[in-house]
Amino acid sequence: MLTLIRQELYKQLHGKFYIGWGIVTLAITLLSGYFYHNGGTALSAINTSGRVFGNGLSMVLIAMIVFASSLLTKDFANNTVKYLFARQFSRGKILISKLITMVFMFVYLVVITFISTAIANVLFNENRAFLWHDIFGYLIGMAFYLFLMLSIVLLISNIFKSNAVAIAFGIVFYFVSNVINVFLNILVDKMEWIKYNPLNFLNILRQYSIPEYSQLSRLSVTQLEVGSIIWGIIFLLITYVVYNRRNV
């Protein structure tokens, strides 16, 4: 297992993902800090360091969707999957090593966002108040959201062999899921069981920031947390079954 993890990290360190998205996240966070704290008294008062951090995490979210979309298909696209499967590693261990690598990438991008938010706060915020509670609240919501979203993206991307197509489909699903979710929320009044569909649990990110969003999701934060974990595990198990039976 450690060998597989080292191999996955080696591939990422010699790729452009962590460098490119790290720079993009840093730039977006610093620009957010500049405009929030130099856009007039009203704007500066409304938007705190938590808002700046949130904008950085928005880029992290997109980066992780792109990363998850290509995580399983890249080996098929590069035709290196034959050598990977030929070695004495089960497909389950290979999948787990990729999931662990995904966690490392998430932690790395979050650290970049923390550092860039702190820099933006020092450079542009006259009050120098770093509101940690705003930051951690949004981060927790993002963690639950990504666990569910990325498990769905992994499952969907598992049916593609083209890396570019998988990434494009992952991004499209991210935006389309928000639109579908709006229509599903409308149907909850007539069929209450719809609120337990997996897309509704993606509302956890919004509800962490806006508690009143529970009126649309019809679920409490605790219910959304538990449901996100349950649905995420279900999608990961299905992903394993599909990946385990996938032909080279």
Side-chain angles (χ1 to χ4, degrees), residues 68 71-72 91-92 95-96 98-100 102-103 144 146-158 228-244:
L71 191 61
L72 298 180
R91 295 195 183 191
L95 180 59
I96 292 174
K98 291 181 179 295
L99 295 177
I100 293 174
M102 192 163 60
V103 173
F144 281 103
L146 278 178
F147 180 74
L148 177 55
M149 172 60 80
L150 296 186
S151 65
I152 299 175
V153 170
L154 280 172
L155 175 59
I156 295 175
S157 66
N158 202 20
S228 297
I229 294 174
I230 293 174
W231 274 114
I233 292 174
I234 290 174
F235 284 120
L236 287 177
L237 290 175
I238 298 174
T239 299
Y240 166 72
V241 173
V242 176
Y243 186 72
N244 195 43

Side-chain angles (χ1 to χ4, degrees), residues 30-48 52 120 123-126:
L30 291 178
L31 285 173
S32 298
Y34 173 78
F35 286 115
Y36 282 167
H37 299 299
N38 290 276
T41 305
L43 186 62
S44 180
I46 294 174
N47 294 284
T48 64
V52 176
L123 293 177
F124 308 120
N125 186 6
E126 296 179 357

Side-chain angles (χ1 to χ4, degrees), residues 34 98 109 132 200 204:
Y34 173 78
K98 291 181 179 295
L109 290 175
W132 291 98
N200 190 35
I204 188 170

